[in-house]
């Protein structure tokens, strides 16, 4: 029986002092004349796109090995579902590299990347499924967290945190990631404004004076 849960977790308005000192600062106030910075809008900037592609590409092509601590020694585990899912095929018809690329790309751009990790009756992993970021809601029940999302089959699910691989950036509360672009919104807005101005000039839309 599922425990009662509340609505989606809202971002905390106040960040604890010790996190602020460690670099978890609130985003600067956006200048009203700068473009609004969102991941979908910012990725149109070639530098942002190149950074996300490089980070996701490098992480997705590196072979991953699984290790287990036994009697104080690190022992490589070869016969484990996670080894196959992370390196060969993450789910039916989807290569592991594609799933890892999708999760890390979303993480780099949006601050959150998700892979649904269902298990069988024995508790073993059976897949690592790509999850669309815009279908995910983070719910809470006391200290526990649950993810509500739509899987690849279009089924709406609610699962505990152990069933979701969640990459999160600068999660001040430990759970809710923030986009690097939102954190550096003002600097990104300046870059986007410069690109917009260059585009208008290239299109012949800049103002011209007549003497």
């Amino acid at each position: 029986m599922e425990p009662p849960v509340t609505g989606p977790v809202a971002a905390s308005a106040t960040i604890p002092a010790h996190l602020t000192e460690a670099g978890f600062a609130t985003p600067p106030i956006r200048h009203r004349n700068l473009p609004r910075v969102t991941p979908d809008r910012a990725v149109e900037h070639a530098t942002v796109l190149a950074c996300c592609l490089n980070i996701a590409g490098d992480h997705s092509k590196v072979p991953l090995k699984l290790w287990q601590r036994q009697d104080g020694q690190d022992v490589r585990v070869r016969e484990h579902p996670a080894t196959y899912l992370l390196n060969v095929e993450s789910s039916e018809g989807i290569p592991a590299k594609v799933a890892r690329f999708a999760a890390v790309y979303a993480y780099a751009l949006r601050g959150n990347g998700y892979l649904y990790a269902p298990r069988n009756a024995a508790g073993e992993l059976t897949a690592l499924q790509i999850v669309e970021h815009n279908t995910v809601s983070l719910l809470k029940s006391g200290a526990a967290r649950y993810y509500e999302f739509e899987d690849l089959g279009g089924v709406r699910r609610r699962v505990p945190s152990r069933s979701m691989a969640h990459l999160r950036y600068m999660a001040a509360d430990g759970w809710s990631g923030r986009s690097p672009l939102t954190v550096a919104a003002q600097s990104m807005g300046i870059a986007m404004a410069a690109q917009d101005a260059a585009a208008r000039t290239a299109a012949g839309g800049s103002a011209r004076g007549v003497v």
Side-chain angles (χ1 to χ4, degrees):
M1 182 176 180
E2 291 186 354
V5 296
T6 62
V9 179
S12 175
T14 303
I15 298 177
H18 67 283
L19 291 179
T20 303
E21 293 171 359
F24 287 80
T26 53
I29 299 175
R30 184 176 64 88
H31 194 283
R32 65 180 182 178
N33 292 328
L34 292 177
R36 182 173 180 79
V37 178
T38 65
D40 290 328
R41 178 72 175 84
V43 78
E44 296 176 1
H45 196 288
T47 302
V48 174
L49 177 60
C51 289
C52 292
L53 291 177
N54 286 338
I55 294 172
D58 286 347
H59 281 76
S60 64
K61 67 187 178 184
V62 176
L64 297 181
K65 299 178 181 179
L66 190 64
W67 298 80
Q68 185 176 25
R69 179 63 61 87
Q70 295 180 354
D71 299 326
Q73 298 292 326
D74 291 331
V75 180
R76 185 176 176 185
V77 180
R78 299 180 184 274
E79 299 298 327
H80 192 282
T83 302
Y84 180 84
L85 296 174
L86 288 169
N87 293 285
V88 184
E89 186 177 57
S90 63
S91 58
E92 186 176 357
I94 299 181
K97 290 181 179 180
V98 173
R100 286 164 53 188
F101 181 95
V104 177
Y105 180 86
Y107 163 80
L109 181 64
R110 305 178 185 281
N112 292 284
Y114 305 96
L115 289 173
Y116 171 43
R119 299 170 184 265
N120 58 21
E124 295 183 343
L125 288 172
T126 59
L128 289 173
Q129 297 181 4
I130 298 172
V131 177
E132 289 284 347
H133 71 277
N134 55 0
T135 72
V136 181
S137 294
L138 183 60
L139 311 174
K140 65 179 180 178
S141 175
R145 294 294 185 273
Y146 295 83
Y147 294 85
E148 189 170 88
F149 65 99
E150 186 176 298
D151 67 12
L152 292 177
V155 178
R156 195 72 186 172
R157 297 182 180 275
R158 180 182 294 173
V159 300
S161 57
R162 74 187 299 263
S163 295
M164 182 72 76
H166 180 188
L167 306 179
R168 62 205 89 168
Y169 175 75
M170 289 188 70
D173 62 354
W175 294 96
S176 306
R178 294 191 293 166
S179 170
L181 302 170
T182 303
V183 176
Q186 190 147 291
S187 295
M188 192 64 235
I190 293 172
M192 290 168 57
Q195 177 173 270
D196 290 344
R200 286 193 296 271
T201 299
S206 57
R208 299 176 180 175
V210 178
V211 178

